[in-house]
Amino acid sequence: MGFSRGVLGSFLVAMMIFYGASGEPLVPAFCIMGDSVVDAGNNNNLLTLVKANFPPYGRDFVTHKPTGRFCNGKLATDFTAEYLGFTSYPPPYLSQDAKGRNLLTGANFASAASGYYDRTAQLYRAISLTQQLSYYKEWQNKVVRMVGKQRANTIFSGAIHLLSAGSSDFVQNYYINPLLNRAYSPDRFSDILMKSYSTFVQIGVTTLPPTGCLPAAITLFGGGGNQCVARLNRDAVSFNNKLNSTSQALVSRLPGLKLVVFDIYQPLLDLITKPADNGFFESRKACCGTGTIETSLLCNARSIGTCSNATEYVFWDGFHPSEATNQILAQDLLEQGISLIS
């Protein structure tokens, strides 16, 4: 991230905190769908191996306890909720906290290992996007019952909706599944994902990150090298171009739709290629364990080599950013999505 962008992000955060000081959030609700990048604990309640509800996950979180977030601390969406003026984070919809008036300010429906391609979620026993959308409609009905249809419609129309998906479809399915990668080119697989995305009209959607630079991706697909896997990054760029063009088509077809595509690719790539410029020491290896592959069950309290200070690392585990990175990415989201709350 360049100096001017960083200053702008900090300025916007300060302004939002100032205007949100009245105690009222800048938007009535914040709803989240997607994968492990934004899952705040829904997978804790599933019969799946893709979980993060054990140490060292959560060691730097507010409670210093694992919550199910795939991070040492806060997710980018946690910081976003704070910047918007919320005093609590959207509760995981399957958790005990997702009840009563806690639901009036939104909910988190995301599930690690989910994606646009429902079979990705089925492969890992995660919550598919189709099911997440069903839970979202269930949430709407609960809100209507609590506050009435008129106030509920005000909440729904003013809420920010964020969708983060696609990485699991590629890294945890397509690239390792011969039934897919022999049947479809990366470009054709992206087309299939776009058809699914078109049915999830959201207000904000994130691009793919530079998947070829994820520590685990370098280990699995880098041929023994220590550099970003160019092939995977090209696929991510191609997917992101399709995401942008599909989103533009949706806006043209649906008058009044407020839709922002949040670019995660370039901000994260900047941190990876110029870590020292952004206060980081390491961007090729993650903090947890050897930093080359560990995630979920492989990133645990017995993992040998886990770093003592995750703020120096761009990545927390083999697939997911550290809290320090998430804070920077959240500022980028804020800059790009200011139109949604202005």
Side-chain angles (χ1 to χ4, degrees):
M1 186 194 307
F3 174 77
S4 60
R5 292 182 66 191
V7 170
L8 176 59
S10 299
F11 174 74
L12 288 172
V13 169
M15 290 297 290
M16 286 194 159
I17 292 174
F18 175 78
Y19 285 112
S22 63
E24 290 295 322
L26 296 174
V27 294
F30 185 24
C31 292
I32 302 163
M33 297 182 187
D35 55 22
S36 61
V37 175
V38 291
D39 183 357
N42 281 313
N43 275 26
N44 297 355
N45 302 283
L46 302 179
L47 291 174
T48 176
L49 295 177
V50 188
K51 296 187 178 186
N53 58 343
F54 44 83
Y57 287 103
R59 71 180 195 186
D60 300 314
F61 193 64
V62 179
T63 59
H64 300 290
K65 295 179 180 179
T67 62
R69 289 166 170 81
F70 284 75
C71 185
N72 60 301
K74 298 176 186 176
L75 305 175
T77 45
D78 294 326
F79 286 110
T80 301
E82 292 176 1
Y83 299 158
L84 291 172
F86 291 102
T87 56
S88 61
Y89 307 125
Y93 190 69
L94 298 185
S95 73
Q96 292 296 315
D97 293 329
K99 58 185 177 182
R101 302 191 71 81
N102 287 349
L103 293 173
L104 294 181
T105 54
N108 186 317
F109 307 92
S111 175
S114 188
Y116 291 114
Y117 194 61
D118 273 0
R119 291 181 185 176
T120 300
Q122 292 165 7
L123 188 64
Y124 295 96
R125 296 186 175 182
I127 308 170
S128 67
L129 274 185
T130 300
Q131 183 60 50
Q132 290 181 41
L133 184 59
S134 177
Y135 283 144
Y136 173 76
K137 292 176 180 177
E138 185 178 275
W139 166 78
Q140 286 184 311
N141 290 333
K142 290 180 180 179
V143 173
V144 170
R145 288 197 296 269
M146 276 190 284
V147 301
K149 193 168 185 179
Q150 184 174 358
R151 185 182 170 197
N153 285 337
T154 300
I155 293 173
F156 303 151
S157 62
I160 285 183
H161 300 74
L162 182 68
L163 171 62
S164 172
S167 295
S168 295
D169 291 316
F170 278 98
V171 179
Q172 292 173 262
N173 195 355
Y174 178 80
Y175 291 130
I176 62 174
N177 187 347
L179 295 178
L180 284 179
N181 58 48
R182 291 179 182 175
Y184 305 107
S185 66
D187 188 66
R188 176 63 185 132
F189 187 61
S190 291
D191 288 337
I192 294 173
L193 301 187
M194 284 303 100
K195 288 183 180 179
S196 175
Y197 163 65
S198 296
T199 67
F200 291 91
V201 178
Q202 303 290 318
I203 294 180
V205 58
T206 63
T207 64
L208 287 187
T211 49
C213 296
L214 304 180
I218 294 174
T219 301
L220 293 171
F221 309 111
N226 191 38
Q227 301 301 312
C228 296
V229 185
R231 171 175 61 92
L232 271 61
N233 279 353
R234 285 195 299 270
D235 292 344
V237 170
S238 176
F239 174 90
N240 292 342
N241 289 337
K242 290 179 183 290
L243 185 67
N244 277 289
S245 60
T246 301
S247 299
Q248 291 170 6
L250 286 172
V251 171
S252 299
R253 196 170 76 233
L254 301 168
L257 174 66
K258 294 178 71 174
L259 176 62
V260 173
V261 177
F262 295 105
D263 176 25
I264 293 296
Y265 184 97
Q266 193 58 51
L268 185 54
L269 186 64
D270 288 344
L271 300 183
I272 293 167
T273 56
K274 296 175 287 188
D277 291 354
N278 296 279
F280 293 101
F281 170 76
E282 177 62 68
S283 64
R284 285 291 181 260
K285 291 185 178 181
C287 170
C288 191
T290 64
T292 58
I293 192 68
E294 293 88 347
T295 191
S296 192
L297 294 178
L298 294 179
C299 174
N300 57 66
R302 296 184 178 181
S303 297
I304 298 174
T306 300
C307 75
S308 59
N309 185 5
T311 61
E312 298 177 343
Y313 287 71
V314 173
F315 292 98
W316 161 248
D317 67 15
F319 286 94
H320 304 99
S322 65
E323 180 184 73
T325 298
N326 282 332
Q327 184 169 18
I328 295 173
L329 294 179
Q331 291 187 12
D332 272 284
L333 292 177
L334 181 62
E335 293 173 35
Q336 298 174 51
I338 194 69
S339 63
L340 296 178
I341 55 177
S342 60

